[in-house]
Amino acid sequence: MTRHRALLESDPFEVEVGSADQTESFLLQPIDRTKGVPDSWKSLRRAMELMGQSESTVIDAGAAKRKAKEKGKVDKKRQAKEDKGEIEDVTQEGARRNEFDNLIPLLTGLRTAGRKWKPWQWEIIARTAGEHGATYALLNAARQAEKTGLYLYDLRVVREIVWACRLHALKNDWSVESCTKALGYMEQLVRLMEEPAQKKERERAINKGLLDSKVNALRQPDVIGCVVEVAAARVAAMRKVGADGEIIGEAQKSLDGYLQRLLPNMTAAVDESTKAVAEAKPLGMVADYELLRWVPALHGLNVLQQESLASTEGLSQHAEKLSTKVSDAKAAVLDSVGGDEGGKRRGLIWCNAVQAV
């Protein structure tokens, strides 16, 4: 690079660009990589910002499907996939071509150019996509991890994707359809984490000391708590709309299974996180993250009790302990912010959205 810089400075060189009848000359100049090359991270953030601002382009690919549905000719396999969130539902306002479909080509191009993102950057990418309803884009990016670089070994990154799944149900008022789709997204995430490419990258991270081999994101009580919340909300919504008893029974069975995975380890996890928060600085930011972790689990336990969806021994004690944890975290966040700042903290927003405490 230095040799080329010296050559261009000592012997300026021009190139002509254009067609045969109209050309323009450009003087080749050495590029300062620290100033002349755009910041790829800032460019990606800006691109995602624009994706979020753009309205989805509506096309009429759903017309044929709607007509078939009216005639009673429904593709049951496709409908099942839509219900699970494995593919987009094209019946609402026609098929939507979301701007976030551009995320995978963008990530692929940046990775091909040698750009790799750190876990904290993947957190922001996942959070941004989730807030704009593009959970499917995140899952597709993880499905093509070797191209996009989205590997699922970092706990905080996995949390953000699980929260993105949960956000889909929250924004749609915990309807049966939205909860079913959110759970479908979560099931996809579990399957993706078991794929060979993902497991290989996890092993590489462990060998490099980037990851504790004992940490498994899918076994974390706060992560399971999100699943319990959505599963409980789904059963409650099914009962409310008078769904078929057999379907409710299957949903209840799934809920019971998630609950059995949550409760045995939750108390220890809550105690551990409480100790970590007491030693953390700045307290406000850490406490707000704790709200993100534990509000979903508390909301899920509250729904279980309010709707009498479970008779597990000690459920009320678990809920009471978690309520104290969330209340303390909320107070810490409120003490650390003033004016309108509290309205910008995600944890507080989530807490108020479900009236956790």
Side-chain angles (χ1 to χ4, degrees), residues 146-311:
E146 293 172 325
K147 292 181 179 180
T148 63
L150 178 51
Y151 290 101
L152 304 171
Y153 64 83
D154 185 86
L155 174 57
R156 292 176 70 101
V157 174
V158 173
R159 278 180 179 147
E160 286 291 349
I161 298 177
V162 171
W163 293 342
C165 300
R166 172 201 186 256
L167 200 56
H168 177 79
L170 173 62
K171 286 186 173 182
N172 289 280
D173 298 323
W174 309 102
S175 67
V176 175
E177 294 78 10
S178 65
C179 289
T180 300
K181 180 168 281 191
L183 288 170
Y185 284 148
M186 292 174 178
E187 289 170 3
Q188 284 186 68
L189 178 62
V190 172
R191 291 196 296 269
L192 285 170
M193 292 180 71
E194 294 300 320
E195 289 192 354
Q198 292 286 352
K199 294 174 76 172
K200 182 179 179 181
E201 189 66 14
R202 174 182 166 81
E203 289 299 321
R204 186 195 67 80
I206 292 173
N207 293 336
K208 283 193 170 186
L210 302 175
L211 178 68
D212 184 346
S213 60
K214 297 179 181 179
V215 175
N216 186 323
L218 298 178
R219 295 178 183 174
Q220 299 302 307
D222 58 293
V223 173
I224 301 172
C226 279
V227 184
V228 168
E229 176 194 34
V230 177
R234 179 174 67 163
V235 174
M238 284 179 170
R239 287 185 174 184
K240 187 175 181 180
V241 300
D244 180 78
E246 187 175 342
I247 295 176
I248 294 177
E250 287 297 318
Q252 180 69 53
K253 185 177 179 181
S254 295
L255 170 59
D256 293 341
Y258 296 135
L259 191 60
Q260 289 175 9
R261 293 175 57 192
L262 170 65
L263 296 181
N265 302 314
M266 192 174 74
T267 298
V270 170
D271 290 341
E272 184 179 342
S273 69
T274 300
K275 181 180 178 181
V277 170
E279 301 171 352
K281 294 181 181 180
L283 178 58
M285 292 181 63
V286 176
D288 192 68
Y289 191 80
E290 289 297 289
L291 289 178
L292 292 172
R293 288 184 61 191
W294 296 110
V295 162
L298 177 58
H299 180 226
L301 295 184
N302 288 341
V303 171
L304 287 171
Q305 294 184 98
Q306 292 164 6
E307 302 294 332
S308 302
L309 300 180
S311 57

Side-chain angles (χ1 to χ4, degrees), residues 3-235:
R3 178 170 60 85
H4 294 157
R5 177 184 295 275
L7 181 62
L8 288 172
E9 290 176 346
S10 63
D11 185 16
F13 185 77
E14 288 189 350
V15 295
E16 291 187 346
V17 179
S19 59
D21 59 341
Q22 185 178 4
T23 61
E24 187 173 352
S25 297
F26 289 91
L27 179 65
L28 293 183
Q29 296 177 322
I31 293 178
D32 184 341
R33 290 180 63 87
T34 62
K35 298 178 181 179
V37 179
D39 185 308
S40 54
W41 174 239
K42 289 183 179 178
S43 298
L44 176 60
R45 290 291 305 278
R46 178 57 179 160
M48 294 187 71
E49 200 175 296
L50 292 173
M51 290 177 197
Q53 292 173 359
S54 301
E55 293 185 1
S56 297
T57 303
V58 177
I59 59 178
D60 200 26
K65 182 185 173 183
R66 289 194 299 275
K67 289 180 180 179
K69 192 172 184 179
E70 290 171 2
K71 294 179 180 179
K73 298 177 181 179
V74 179
D75 186 335
K76 293 183 179 180
K77 289 185 178 180
R78 180 180 179 84
Q79 187 64 50
K81 288 184 177 181
E82 285 180 4
D83 292 341
K84 292 179 181 179
E86 293 179 2
I87 57 176
E88 288 300 286
D89 181 359
V90 299
T91 61
Q92 298 178 2
E93 299 179 13
R96 298 189 177 206
R97 185 180 292 122
N98 196 296
E99 289 295 330
F100 271 88
D101 289 346
N102 297 313
L103 182 61
I104 293 176
L106 183 57
L107 291 173
T108 300
L110 288 168
R111 185 170 176 80
T112 301
R115 192 63 174 91
K116 296 182 180 180
W117 310 119
K118 296 179 180 179
W120 68 267
Q121 291 171 309
W122 280 116
E123 282 186 70
I124 294 175
I125 292 171
R127 182 189 315 161
T128 304
E131 287 174 350
H132 289 97
T135 307
Y136 72 94
L138 288 174
L139 296 173
N140 286 337
R143 191 171 286 111
Q144 302 176 52
E146 293 172 325
K147 292 181 179 180
T148 63
L150 178 51
Y151 290 101
L152 304 171
Y153 64 83
D154 185 86
L155 174 57
R156 292 176 70 101
V157 174
V158 173
R159 278 180 179 147
E160 286 291 349
I161 298 177
V162 171
W163 293 342
C165 300
R166 172 201 186 256
L167 200 56
H168 177 79
L170 173 62
K171 286 186 173 182
N172 289 280
D173 298 323
W174 309 102
S175 67
V176 175
E177 294 78 10
S178 65
C179 289
T180 300
K181 180 168 281 191
L183 288 170
Y185 284 148
M186 292 174 178
E187 289 170 3
Q188 284 186 68
L189 178 62
V190 172
R191 291 196 296 269
L192 285 170
M193 292 180 71
E194 294 300 320
E195 289 192 354
Q198 292 286 352
K199 294 174 76 172
K200 182 179 179 181
E201 189 66 14
R202 174 182 166 81
E203 289 299 321
R204 186 195 67 80
I206 292 173
N207 293 336
K208 283 193 170 186
L210 302 175
L211 178 68
D212 184 346
S213 60
K214 297 179 181 179
V215 175
N216 186 323
L218 298 178
R219 295 178 183 174
Q220 299 302 307
D222 58 293
V223 173
I224 301 172
C226 279
V227 184
V228 168
E229 176 194 34
V230 177
R234 179 174 67 163
V235 174

